[in-house]
Amino acid sequence: METLYNIFIDPFVQMFGAPDFLMQVLWEGFVSGTLYALIALGFVLIFKASGVFNFAQGIMVVFAALTLVGLYSLGMPAYVALVLTIGVMGLLAVSVERLVMRKLVNQPDIILFMATIGLTYFLIGLGEFIFGGEPKKMIADELGLPGGSMDFEVFGGVLILENRDIAAAVIAAVLVAALWFFFSKTRIGRALRAVADDHQAALSVGISLNQIWAIVWFAAGIVALATGILWGAKSEVSFALQVVALKALPVLILGGFTSIPGAIVGGMIIGLGEKLFEIYWGGLMGGGVESWFAYVIALIFLLFRPQGLFGEKIIERI
Amino acid sequence: MFYRETGQYKTSYEADSSIFPILQDRIGIALMLIVAFVVIPLAGNDFFLSSIMIPFLIFALAAIGLNILTGYTGQISLGTGAFMGVGAYACYKLTTYFPDVNIVLLILCSGFFSAFIGMLFGLPSLRIKGFYLIVTTLAAQFFLEWAFIRVGWLYNYNDSGAIEVPERTGFGLVLTGPSATPTTRYMVVLCLVVAMTWVASNLIRGRIGRSWMMIRDMDIAAELMGVRPLYAKLSAFAVSSFYTGVAGAMMVFFWLGAAEVESFDVNESFSILFMVILGGLGSLMGSFMGAAFIWILPVLLRLIPESFGIDISVATLEHINFMIVGALIIFFLIVEPHGLARLWKIAKEKLRTWPFPYA
Amino acid sequence: MSQEIKPGEVLLELEDVSLSFGGVRAIKNVGFNIKRGEIRAIIGPNGAGKTSMLNVINGFYHPQEGTITYKGVHRKNMRPYVAATQGIARTFQNVALFKGMSTLDNIMSGRTLKMHRNFLWQMLYYGPARREEMQHRERVEHVIDFLEIAHIRRTPVGRLPYGLQKRVELARALAMEPELLLLDEPMAGMNLEEKEDMSRYILEVNDEFGMTIALIEHDISVVMDLSDRIVVLDHGEKIADGTPAEVSADQDVIDAYLGVAH
């Protein structure tokens, strides 16, 4: 009886007993949701255009952030380092397309997926080889990200919003808008959607698959860089991020592999859900439940709706 | 020249479907077994036995486990590390409750626990496929990792949070713990691995193995041929997790001596997956080759610069190892998706017809 | 449960079957029967719902309306696995072989339902398990001889040319020793010689083993030669049903195939 009370009643009593704290928890959840959504967005870009499930997106985030910090530490001005890092991500995109994707055209999805796991390990090794394995501080102030925080009085308590988190949300929103514009209004965007629909048909009207792939990997690289800066500013730049980035997978399960709005909604559900669960229910189970909550939610969700939130029911043909 | 099957006629279906239908292969495997059972224990020093051979065999067994699931049944899993952990913790608990029972028996029993957990997390595979399944195995991985830390009962509420292997006996010998000699431990591991590999090869060439491969190659057609996806997939999950669980228990009891949750983290899952990919999806022989490769490459990387008198830090070597493994994975997937095992097969085919290019 | 059906009696009866995907109706109120021992053809232009019809028969698609009576047992739908246990085997329009397995293993896979040795015996591959495997191997070798594919026994099917893949697929279905064999365009993409071979096999299977066959085929001359009765579908509706002579004289069929001025 007491267990039932602890599970079903007490958390809600706590929530409504201290609404200011609840607001704070929700805000924290929203911010981490934004970051999950950004990583998922990188996955979606590549999956849409090439059907490749890019496991390396997480390490690309780390790699981009490390490159930025590394270049800055060589004595470059922050903005020059930023531009150069974008260049490095472009280079990475072109090399991945040339050396990996192009060679694996028409292979089964699972082979391509495993190739991106290989890429992940290669990038981990390369990143640690060049920059060393120890965590680093993101150059947030140098890039002009605001510090400090804003305090609001709510429900008789104080809600603290870090300016940096607000900036993260704004930057993420701008990024999504820019990508949306790019993919729905420009010529390259149209070509990309054509490729996403049908490779063969796209080829037959003269769209270069290789070029499109390089472009989406580059776009995913820029998203990774933005994610890396924002995440690094919140904590620090380290390879531990790589494991956290795996949480983008459950986000994709919820949102669907091809939907940008899905990635955002999925990110929010996971971000908010895991914070609420950790704070209000985690104590019952000894804490630390954040590490698996996202996956278990995705697993349960899969059992009831295998096609994702926005996906259509799959009709199998034979 | 010497590797010819000319003149070796099969007069029964039995002879035709034996594991090694060619005489030279039978001789080869016999030689390998003699080396493994006689030469290595006699000639190998303690370092070679306990730091190279024992882990190699244990990883090979784990790779066979994952290969059954991924290579033969086509269900990709990133939860191998955690399933190994289930085996290890189960064995630890079993030996706590039954200290006098032969430890080898307990290790095999602990496989049933991981088989059960594996089936549980394999249930979603009935409705979902491919990438989606990765997430459910990751759910298993992270949930179990969490449980290994938070559920104190699993490690007998030790302050260290680690499981430490007590001294246990079997067959009148000390098999585990600090006073067990490397040779004894090696022999036990070898016997278990050889026996379980033999069982795996039997399963694979029979009806059950075929139904796994049918699911892998075309699940819809498999069902129309009378394979029940529920049975085929869950049995693959069960057998696979049994193997990985036993490998996990052996890893702690015969090799590491003590383990924390880090030994069973997602990186362990990845490294077993790499053994399977490099060795060859759907090949038992490949599981051994992949395990040897992934386990011995870092050792070689350490030895080669040393022998040239170049001093490279351990961390740097590890980074280089990561890069090489990552690049090799991509290389193999591009050039030979069936891994080392296929290269070996091609070499044998060439040998069969040598010195002529075609038969 | 299911009753014994003698040659010439109705083995499978479809009544008023309708199937739709979302808003698209693939099959509209179609009914016909298949008698034991006959070769029954389903023909029609592209998109007529022929393959969907086979999918309904072996339980891969579940129709929204209508009933199916197989061996005297009514059912609304069934799982493909159940259809297989009831003795329905099939081949596919786009070859659905197990690409990673050899020809021999592919055909052995047809014996899955006939093998019963349990897990423990399989583990040891000894005694009963091995004897069982060998018995079935022998049956499979008969099929291999019959279809003249002994030389490709050990070849992975992915490496075989298309015509041979079709033949291996037929072999796999035959290895199931089914009561009702569904063939989905068994001769698509074959040259004349291969078609003649395939026709011969189909006739022999029907004659010698008395196997009931339902087939979809585009080559009208082959269909006219092979089949006892033909059902014609167009846009998911049945437009004719009868002997080859009756069907070829039917005005609706001629219109459907040649087009008609509206």
Side-chain angles (χ1 to χ4, degrees), chain A residues 128-187:
Chain A
E128 291 193 327
F129 185 67
I130 300 174
F131 305 108
E134 66 284 356
K136 292 178 187 59
K137 203 176 149 299
M138 178 41 76
I139 47 169
D141 298 321
E142 293 82 348
L143 285 168
L145 287 177
S149 64
M150 277 195 265
D151 302 350
F152 296 95
E153 297 236 347
V154 280
F155 304 113
V158 189
L159 175 66
I160 303 163
L161 308 187
E162 297 263 347
N163 283 339
R164 206 158 269 175
D165 290 346
I166 298 173
V170 171
I171 290 171
V174 170
L175 200 63
V176 170
L179 283 170
W180 176 81
F181 179 80
F182 180 68
F183 286 120
S184 58
K185 300 291 176 195
T186 63
R187 192 178 60 84

Coordinates of all heavy atoms in Angstrom, one line a residue, chain A residues 128-187:
Chain A
E128 N 41.2 11.6 -29.7 CA 42.0 11.5 -28.5 C 43.5 11.6 -28.9 O 44.3 12.1 -28.1 CB 41.8 10.2 -27.8 CG 40.4 10.1 -27.2 CD 40.3 8.9 -26.3 OE1 40.9 7.9 -26.5 OE2 39.5 9.0 -25.3
F129 N 43.9 11.1 -30.1 CA 45.2 11.1 -30.5 C 45.7 12.6 -30.7 O 46.8 13.0 -30.3 CB 45.3 10.4 -31.9 CG 46.7 10.3 -32.4 CD1 47.7 9.5 -31.7 CD2 47.1 10.9 -33.5 CE1 49.0 9.3 -32.2 CE2 48.4 10.8 -34.0 CZ 49.4 10.0 -33.3
I130 N 44.8 13.4 -31.3 CA 45.2 14.8 -31.6 C 45.1 15.7 -30.3 O 45.9 16.4 -30.0 CB 44.4 15.4 -32.7 CG1 44.6 14.5 -34.0 CG2 44.8 16.8 -33.0 CD1 43.7 15.0 -35.1
F131 N 43.9 15.5 -29.7 CA 43.6 16.5 -28.6 C 43.8 16.0 -27.2 O 43.6 16.7 -26.3 CB 42.1 17.0 -28.8 CG 41.8 17.5 -30.1 CD1 41.0 16.8 -31.0 CD2 42.3 18.8 -30.5 CE1 40.8 17.4 -32.3 CE2 42.1 19.3 -31.8 CZ 41.3 18.6 -32.7
G132 N 44.0 14.7 -27.1 CA 44.2 14.1 -25.8 C 42.8 13.8 -25.2 O 41.8 14.3 -25.6
G133 N 42.8 12.9 -24.2 CA 41.5 12.3 -23.7 C 40.9 13.1 -22.6 O 39.8 12.9 -22.3
E134 N 41.6 14.1 -22.0 CA 41.1 14.7 -20.8 C 40.0 15.8 -21.2 O 40.1 16.4 -22.3 CB 42.2 15.4 -20.0 CG 42.9 16.6 -20.7 CD 43.9 16.1 -21.8 OE1 44.1 14.9 -21.9 OE2 44.5 17.0 -22.4
P135 N 39.0 16.0 -20.3 CA 37.9 16.9 -20.6 C 38.5 18.4 -20.7 O 39.5 18.7 -20.1 CB 37.1 16.8 -19.3 CG 37.4 15.6 -18.7 CD 38.9 15.3 -19.0
K136 N 37.8 19.1 -21.6 CA 38.2 20.5 -21.8 C 37.1 21.5 -21.5 O 35.9 21.1 -21.6 CB 38.8 20.7 -23.2 CG 40.0 19.9 -23.4 CD 40.5 20.1 -24.8 CE 41.7 19.2 -25.0 NZ 41.4 17.7 -24.8
K137 N 37.4 22.8 -21.4 CA 36.4 23.8 -21.1 C 36.0 24.4 -22.5 O 36.9 24.7 -23.3 CB 37.0 24.9 -20.2 CG 36.0 25.7 -19.5 CD 36.6 26.6 -18.6 CE 35.8 27.9 -18.4 NZ 35.5 28.7 -19.6
M138 N 34.7 24.5 -22.7 CA 34.3 25.1 -23.9 C 34.5 26.6 -23.9 O 34.4 27.2 -22.8 CB 32.8 24.8 -24.1 CG 32.1 25.4 -25.4 SD 33.1 25.4 -26.9 CE 32.9 23.7 -27.4
I139 N 34.9 27.2 -25.0 CA 35.2 28.6 -25.0 C 33.9 29.5 -25.2 O 33.8 30.2 -26.2 CB 36.2 29.0 -26.2 CG1 35.8 28.3 -27.5 CG2 37.6 28.5 -25.8 CD1 36.6 28.8 -28.7
A140 N 33.0 29.3 -24.3 CA 31.7 29.9 -24.4 C 31.7 31.4 -24.4 O 31.1 32.1 -25.2 CB 30.8 29.3 -23.3
D141 N 32.4 31.9 -23.4 CA 32.5 33.4 -23.3 C 33.1 34.0 -24.5 O 32.7 35.0 -25.0 CB 33.3 33.8 -22.0 CG 32.6 33.2 -20.8 OD1 31.3 33.2 -20.7 OD2 33.3 32.7 -19.9
E142 N 34.2 33.4 -25.0 CA 34.9 33.9 -26.1 C 34.0 34.0 -27.3 O 34.2 34.9 -28.2 CB 36.2 33.1 -26.4 CG 37.2 33.2 -25.3 CD 37.0 32.2 -24.1 OE1 35.8 31.7 -24.0 OE2 37.9 32.0 -23.3
L143 N 33.1 33.0 -27.4 CA 32.2 33.0 -28.6 C 31.0 34.0 -28.4 O 30.2 34.1 -29.3 CB 31.7 31.6 -28.9 CG 32.7 30.6 -29.5 CD1 32.2 29.2 -29.4 CD2 33.0 31.0 -30.9
G144 N 31.0 34.6 -27.3 CA 29.9 35.6 -27.1 C 28.7 35.0 -26.5 O 27.6 35.7 -26.6
L145 N 28.7 33.8 -26.0 CA 27.5 33.2 -25.4 C 27.4 33.9 -24.0 O 28.3 34.1 -23.3 CB 27.7 31.7 -25.2 CG 27.6 30.9 -26.4 CD1 27.8 29.4 -26.0 CD2 26.2 31.0 -27.0
P146 N 26.1 34.4 -23.7 CA 25.9 35.1 -22.5 C 26.1 34.2 -21.3 O 25.8 33.0 -21.3 CB 24.5 35.6 -22.6 CG 23.9 34.6 -23.5 CD 24.9 34.2 -24.5
G147 N 26.6 34.8 -20.2 CA 26.7 34.1 -18.9 C 25.6 34.6 -18.0 O 24.7 35.3 -18.4
G148 N 25.7 34.3 -16.7 CA 24.8 34.8 -15.8 C 23.4 34.1 -15.9 O 23.3 33.1 -16.6
S149 N 22.4 34.6 -15.2 CA 21.1 34.0 -15.2 C 20.0 35.0 -15.0 O 20.3 36.1 -14.5 CB 21.1 32.9 -14.1 OG 21.2 33.5 -12.9
M150 N 18.8 34.6 -15.3 CA 17.7 35.5 -15.0 C 16.8 34.8 -14.0 O 16.6 33.6 -14.0 CB 16.9 35.6 -16.3 CG 17.4 36.7 -17.3 SD 16.1 37.1 -18.5 CE 16.6 36.0 -19.8
D151 N 16.4 35.6 -13.0 CA 15.5 35.0 -12.0 C 14.1 35.5 -12.1 O 13.9 36.7 -12.3 CB 16.1 35.4 -10.6 CG 17.5 34.9 -10.4 OD1 18.0 34.1 -11.3 OD2 18.2 35.3 -9.4
F152 N 13.2 34.6 -12.0 CA 11.8 35.0 -12.0 C 11.1 34.5 -10.7 O 11.4 33.5 -10.2 CB 11.0 34.3 -13.2 CG 11.5 34.7 -14.5 CD1 12.5 34.0 -15.2 CD2 11.0 35.9 -15.1 CE1 13.0 34.4 -16.5 CE2 11.5 36.3 -16.4 CZ 12.5 35.5 -17.1
E153 N 10.2 35.3 -10.3 CA 9.5 34.9 -9.1 C 8.2 34.2 -9.6 O 7.4 34.8 -10.3 CB 9.1 36.2 -8.3 CG 10.3 36.9 -7.7 CD 10.2 37.1 -6.2 OE1 9.1 36.8 -5.7 OE2 11.2 37.4 -5.6
V154 N 8.1 32.9 -9.2 CA 6.9 32.2 -9.6 C 6.4 31.4 -8.4 O 7.2 30.9 -7.6 CB 7.1 31.2 -10.7 CG1 7.0 31.9 -12.0 CG2 8.4 30.4 -10.5
F155 N 5.1 31.4 -8.2 CA 4.5 30.6 -7.1 C 5.2 30.8 -5.8 O 5.4 29.8 -5.1 CB 4.4 29.1 -7.5 CG 3.7 28.8 -8.8 CD1 4.4 28.4 -9.9 CD2 2.4 29.1 -8.9 CE1 3.8 28.1 -11.1 CE2 1.7 28.8 -10.1 CZ 2.4 28.4 -11.2
G156 N 5.6 32.0 -5.5 CA 6.2 32.2 -4.2 C 7.6 31.7 -4.2 O 8.3 31.7 -3.1
G157 N 8.2 31.2 -5.3 CA 9.6 30.7 -5.3 C 10.4 31.5 -6.4 O 9.9 32.4 -7.0
V158 N 11.6 31.0 -6.6 CA 12.4 31.6 -7.6 C 12.7 30.6 -8.7 O 13.1 29.5 -8.4 CB 13.7 32.1 -7.0 CG1 14.4 33.0 -8.1 CG2 13.4 32.9 -5.8
L159 N 12.5 31.0 -10.0 CA 12.8 30.2 -11.1 C 14.1 30.8 -11.7 O 14.1 31.9 -12.1 CB 11.7 30.1 -12.1 CG 11.9 29.4 -13.4 CD1 12.1 27.9 -13.2 CD2 10.8 29.6 -14.4
I160 N 15.1 30.0 -11.8 CA 16.4 30.5 -12.3 C 16.6 30.0 -13.7 O 16.7 28.7 -13.9 CB 17.6 30.1 -11.4 CG1 17.3 30.5 -10.0 CG2 18.9 30.6 -11.9 CD1 18.2 29.8 -8.9
L161 N 16.7 30.9 -14.6 CA 17.0 30.5 -16.0 C 18.4 30.9 -16.3 O 18.7 32.1 -16.4 CB 16.0 31.1 -17.0 CG 14.5 30.9 -16.8 CD1 13.7 31.4 -17.9 CD2 14.2 29.4 -16.5
E162 N 19.3 30.0 -16.6 CA 20.6 30.4 -17.0 C 20.5 31.1 -18.4 O 19.9 30.5 -19.3 CB 21.5 29.1 -17.1 CG 21.7 28.4 -15.9 CD 23.0 28.8 -15.2 OE1 23.9 29.4 -15.8 OE2 23.2 28.4 -14.0
N163 N 21.2 32.2 -18.6 CA 21.2 32.9 -19.9 C 21.7 32.0 -21.0 O 21.3 32.0 -22.1 CB 22.0 34.1 -19.8 CG 21.2 35.2 -19.1 OD1 20.0 35.2 -19.0 ND2 22.0 36.2 -18.5
R164 N 22.7 31.2 -20.6 CA 23.3 30.3 -21.6 C 22.3 29.2 -22.1 O 22.3 28.9 -23.3 CB 24.5 29.6 -20.9 CG 25.5 29.2 -21.8 CD 26.8 29.0 -21.1 NE 27.6 30.2 -21.1 CZ 28.8 30.3 -20.5 NH1 29.2 29.3 -19.8 NH2 29.4 31.4 -20.6
D165 N 21.4 28.8 -21.2 CA 20.4 27.8 -21.6 C 19.4 28.5 -22.5 O 19.0 27.9 -23.5 CB 19.7 27.2 -20.4 CG 20.6 26.3 -19.6 OD1 21.7 25.9 -20.1 OD2 20.3 26.0 -18.4
I166 N 19.1 29.7 -22.2 CA 18.1 30.4 -23.1 C 18.8 30.6 -24.4 O 18.1 30.3 -25.5 CB 17.8 31.8 -22.5 CG1 17.1 31.6 -21.1 CG2 16.9 32.6 -23.4 CD1 16.9 32.9 -20.4
A167 N 20.1 31.0 -24.4 CA 20.8 31.1 -25.7 C 20.7 29.8 -26.5 O 20.5 29.8 -27.7 CB 22.2 31.6 -25.5
A168 N 20.9 28.7 -25.8 CA 20.9 27.4 -26.4 C 19.6 27.1 -27.1 O 19.6 26.7 -28.3 CB 21.2 26.3 -25.4
A169 N 18.5 27.4 -26.4 CA 17.2 27.2 -27.0 C 17.0 28.0 -28.2 O 16.5 27.6 -29.3 CB 16.1 27.4 -25.9
V170 N 17.4 29.3 -28.1 CA 17.3 30.2 -29.2 C 18.1 29.8 -30.4 O 17.6 29.7 -31.6 CB 17.7 31.7 -28.8 CG1 17.7 32.6 -30.1 CG2 16.7 32.2 -27.8
I171 N 19.4 29.4 -30.2 CA 20.2 29.0 -31.3 C 19.7 27.7 -31.9 O 19.6 27.6 -33.1 CB 21.7 28.7 -30.7 CG1 22.3 30.1 -30.4 CG2 22.5 28.0 -31.8 CD1 23.6 30.0 -29.7
A172 N 19.2 26.8 -31.1 CA 18.6 25.6 -31.7 C 17.4 25.9 -32.6 O 17.3 25.4 -33.7 CB 18.2 24.6 -30.5
A173 N 16.6 26.8 -32.1 CA 15.4 27.2 -32.9 C 15.8 27.8 -34.2 O 15.3 27.5 -35.3 CB 14.5 28.2 -32.1
V174 N 16.8 28.7 -34.1 CA 17.3 29.4 -35.4 C 17.9 28.3 -36.3 O 17.6 28.4 -37.5 CB 18.4 30.4 -35.0 CG1 19.1 30.9 -36.3 CG2 17.8 31.6 -34.3
L175 N 18.6 27.4 -35.8 CA 19.2 26.3 -36.6 C 18.2 25.5 -37.3 O 18.2 25.2 -38.5 CB 20.1 25.4 -35.7 CG 21.2 24.6 -36.4 CD1 22.2 25.5 -37.0 CD2 21.8 23.7 -35.4
V176 N 17.1 25.1 -36.6 CA 16.1 24.3 -37.2 C 15.4 25.1 -38.3 O 15.1 24.6 -39.3 CB 15.0 23.9 -36.1 CG1 13.8 23.3 -36.7 CG2 15.7 22.9 -35.1
A177 N 15.1 26.4 -38.0 CA 14.5 27.3 -39.0 C 15.3 27.3 -40.2 O 14.8 27.2 -41.4 CB 14.2 28.6 -38.4
A178 N 16.6 27.5 -40.0 CA 17.5 27.7 -41.2 C 17.5 26.4 -42.0 O 17.5 26.4 -43.2 CB 18.9 28.0 -40.7
L179 N 17.6 25.2 -41.3 CA 17.6 24.0 -42.0 C 16.3 23.8 -42.8 O 16.3 23.3 -43.9 CB 17.8 22.8 -41.0 CG 19.2 22.6 -40.5 CD1 19.3 21.6 -39.4 CD2 20.1 22.1 -41.7
W180 N 15.2 24.1 -42.1 CA 13.9 24.0 -42.7 C 13.9 24.8 -44.0 O 13.5 24.3 -45.1 CB 12.8 24.4 -41.8 CG 11.5 24.4 -42.4 CD1 10.7 23.3 -42.6 CD2 10.8 25.5 -43.1 NE1 9.6 23.6 -43.3 CE2 9.6 25.0 -43.6 CE3 11.1 26.8 -43.2 CZ2 8.7 25.8 -44.3 CZ3 10.2 27.6 -43.9 CH2 9.0 27.1 -44.4
F181 N 14.4 26.1 -43.9 CA 14.4 26.9 -45.1 C 15.2 26.3 -46.2 O 14.8 26.2 -47.3 CB 14.9 28.3 -44.7 CG 15.0 29.3 -45.9 CD1 13.8 29.9 -46.3 CD2 16.2 29.5 -46.5 CE1 13.9 30.8 -47.4 CE2 16.2 30.3 -47.6 CZ 15.1 31.0 -48.0
F182 N 16.4 25.9 -45.8 CA 17.3 25.3 -46.7 C 16.7 24.1 -47.5 O 16.9 24.0 -48.7 CB 18.6 24.9 -46.0 CG 19.7 24.3 -46.9 CD1 20.3 25.1 -47.8 CD2 20.0 23.0 -46.8 CE1 21.3 24.5 -48.6 CE2 21.0 22.4 -47.6 CZ 21.6 23.2 -48.5
F183 N 16.1 23.3 -46.7 CA 15.6 22.0 -47.4 C 14.3 22.2 -48.1 O 13.9 21.4 -48.9 CB 15.5 20.9 -46.3 CG 16.9 20.4 -46.0 CD1 17.4 20.5 -44.7 CD2 17.7 19.9 -47.0 CE1 18.6 20.0 -44.4 CE2 19.0 19.4 -46.7 CZ 19.4 19.5 -45.4
S184 N 13.5 23.2 -47.7 CA 12.2 23.3 -48.4 C 12.2 24.4 -49.5 O 11.3 24.4 -50.4 CB 11.1 23.5 -47.4 OG 11.3 24.7 -46.7
K185 N 13.1 25.4 -49.4 CA 13.0 26.5 -50.3 C 14.2 26.5 -51.4 O 14.0 27.2 -52.4 CB 13.0 27.8 -49.6 CG 11.9 27.9 -48.6 CD 10.6 28.1 -49.3 CE 9.4 28.1 -48.3 NZ 8.1 27.9 -48.9
T186 N 15.3 25.8 -51.2 CA 16.4 26.0 -52.1 C 16.4 24.8 -53.1 O 15.7 23.8 -52.9 CB 17.7 26.0 -51.4 OG1 17.9 24.8 -50.7 CG2 17.8 27.2 -50.4
R187 N 17.2 25.0 -54.1 CA 17.3 24.0 -55.2 C 17.9 22.7 -54.6 O 17.5 21.6 -54.8 CB 18.2 24.5 -56.3 CG 18.2 23.7 -57.6 CD 19.0 24.4 -58.6 NE 20.4 24.5 -58.2 CZ 21.3 23.5 -58.3 NH1 21.0 22.3 -58.8 NH2 22.6 23.7 -57.9

